[in-house]
Structure formats: C-alpha cells, structure tokens
C-alpha cells in the first residue's frame, strides 16, 4: 500500500497544486483524474518532472494516448489506474529521496487553453524509527494462608536488574528425613507474621527478630531430635 499525505495548496479552473508526502522504499501514488463520460472523452496525457508549461510536459517521464502507455522513461513510473475511466494517477515504485521534486500531470483536452494541468510537490522522507518503551518487571507477594491479617504489596522494577552477585542469597534449612521436613514445613505454615498497621518501624523490627529466633529454635530442636 502507498504511504503518502495529500495537502491542497491552491486550486484554479485549469491549474491546481498539491503536495504529496511519501516514505523511502514505499510505492507512492500521485493522484490525477479527468472526467470521462463516453469513449469520445478519452484523450492523451503526459507526466513530467517540472512545472506544467503552456503546452506538453517538461522532462516527460510517461505518455499515454488515452488507451495505453505509449512512452515510458523508467519502469519505476507506472500508470496502474483505469485509463479509459480517466484515472491517470502516477505510481512511483519503491520511491527514493531522489524522486522528490515537482511533477506535472497534463491532460490534453481539445480546444484552445482547455488542457487540465496539475502540479505536485512530491517529498520522499526516510521511514520513522520507533523507540520501544522500557521493559518493567512486576512481582506480587501476599501473606500466608494462616495469618490473622492479610497484607499485600507490589514491587515494580525497570530493567536492567541488579547483577547476580548483588542479589540477596537465601539458604534453605537442612533436614535429613522426609518426616522431619514435613514437620518443619507444618510449623512454618502455622507461624503467622503480619505487619502492624501503626507506623512504628522499631516494633516491626523487634517482632521480626523474635520470629527469626523462634524459627531458629524450632530448627535446632528438629536437628536434636534427628
């Protein structure tokens, strides 16, 4: 599909000027039409790379007798519309920045000064490069099922994360048998630790130390029993 933007600059009874903006590497269509009511209205026309002169086309790139293309400067300039219905739009295949400039569409209408002339300012720009948004990592933690009060918090981090050497290390408690591991796990699940709602960080620290001491005592007893 062609990527372009048409901007009307000025219009007149026989001459009009338009701007066409496209992207490098895309097929750019420069629109041009004339009224065809019957086969007698079909007429010749030309495209040129300059402002429309009083007659013919300056630096012509393509000609048609109204029924088919009779002259073509390059295969990159094509008329893909229905010529017999007055669609003489120019298609620039795989446009480059060198294709920027003024183009003239001239339809030769019989009679003095009846030719339909349209000037186009074609601008071919480089494709835009989009920047991706930063990747974020979100984790959620909730209190255990046996706690008296449930609390939750969310931690959001933006990449890059800390290195493996800076990450905290967590050691798993030793156990020699499956029964002892089940006992220790049951004791840990029955132990509830909840954060107080009052804003006293030192109380939370004392409770945490006490809980750690209790857990350590349970582990020592389990080792002794083993």
């Amino acid at each position: 599909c062609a990527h372009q933007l048409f901007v009307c600059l000025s219009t007149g009874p026989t001459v009009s000027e338009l701007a066409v903006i496209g992207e490098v590497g895309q097929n750019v269509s420069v629109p041009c039409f004339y009224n065809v009511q019957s086969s007698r209205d079909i007429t010749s026309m030309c495209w040129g790379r300059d402002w429309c002169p009083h007659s013919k086309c300056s630096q012509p790139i393509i000609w048609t007798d109204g029924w088919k293309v009779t002259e073509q400067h390059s295969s990159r300039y094509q008329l893909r519309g229905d010529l017999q219905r007055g669609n003489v739009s120019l298609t620039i295949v795989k446009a480059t920045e060198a294709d920027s400039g003024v183009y003239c569409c001239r339809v030769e209408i019989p009679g003095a000064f009846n030719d339909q002339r349209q000037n186009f300012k074609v601008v071919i720009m480089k494709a835009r490069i989009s920047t991706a948004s930063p990747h974020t990592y979100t984790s959620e933690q909730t209190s255990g099922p046996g706690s008296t009060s449930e609390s939750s918090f969310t931690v959001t981090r933006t990449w890059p994360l800390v290195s493996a050497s800076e990450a905290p290390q967590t050691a798993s408690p030793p156990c020699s048998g499956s029964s002892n591991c089940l006992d220790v796990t049951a004791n840990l699940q029955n132990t509830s630790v909840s954060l107080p709602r009052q804003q006293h960080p030192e109380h939370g620290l004392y409770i945490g130390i006490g809980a750690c001491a209790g857990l350590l005592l349970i582990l020592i007893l389990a080792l002794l029993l083993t």
Side-chain angles (χ1 to χ4, degrees):
C1 299
H3 296 265
Q4 64 273 327
L5 174 66
F6 307 111
V7 181
C8 181
L9 300 180
S10 64
T11 58
T14 58
V15 180
S16 63
E17 295 181 3
L18 297 171
V20 178
I21 301 176
E23 291 184 358
V24 172
Q26 301 291 339
N27 293 347
V28 177
S29 178
V30 186
C32 188
F33 304 88
Y34 70 96
N35 188 21
V36 175
Q37 298 294 337
S38 64
S39 60
R40 293 177 299 178
D41 298 327
I42 298 175
T43 184
S44 59
M45 63 83 56
C46 64
W47 279 94
R49 290 209 60 175
D50 202 349
W51 300 97
C52 292
H54 293 291
S55 64
K56 306 300 180 180
C57 288
S58 299
Q59 303 180 30
I61 57 177
I62 197 166
W63 273 93
T64 173
D65 59 2
W67 301 89
K68 63 181 180 302
V69 175
T70 57
E71 181 181 343
Q72 191 175 14
H73 177 71
S74 171
S75 60
R76 294 181 56 249
Y77 300 125
Q78 301 177 7
L79 299 182
R80 296 183 174 182
D82 191 345
L83 301 181
Q84 300 178 17
R85 292 191 176 183
N87 184 356
V88 291
S89 301
L90 175 67
T91 298
I92 305 174
V93 179
K94 294 182 180 179
T96 64
E97 291 185 271
D99 293 319
S100 300
V102 178
Y103 288 76
C104 167
C105 174
R106 187 186 197 95
V107 179
E108 296 181 327
I109 307 297
F113 305 105
N114 287 336
D115 288 356
Q116 175 182 307
R117 294 177 293 168
Q118 288 181 295
N119 295 316
F120 297 88
K121 290 184 178 180
V122 177
V123 180
I124 308 299
M125 301 185 303
K126 294 182 180 179
R128 298 178 181 177
I129 301 176
S130 60
T131 57
S133 58
H135 187 78
T136 57
Y137 168 77
T138 303
S139 62
E140 294 185 4
Q141 298 183 5
T142 57
S143 59
S147 61
T148 58
S149 62
E150 296 181 359
S151 62
S152 63
F153 64 93
T154 301
V155 178
T156 301
R157 297 177 181 176
T158 303
W159 299 109
L161 298 177
V162 297
S163 61
S165 61
E166 297 175 353
Q169 303 293 331
T170 304
S172 59
C175 55
S176 58
S178 59
S179 59
N180 293 333
C181 290
L182 293 176
D183 293 338
V184 174
T185 302
N187 291 332
L188 291 177
Q189 291 180 349
N190 293 330
T191 304
S192 61
V193 179
S194 60
L195 297 176
R197 298 184 180 275
Q198 296 80 5
Q199 298 181 355
H200 297 289
E202 62 278 3
H203 293 172
L205 180 61
Y206 296 153
I207 294 175
I209 295 175
C212 292
L215 292 175
L216 182 61
L217 181 60
I218 292 175
L219 292 177
I220 295 174
L221 291 176
L223 292 176
L224 292 177
L225 292 176
T226 302

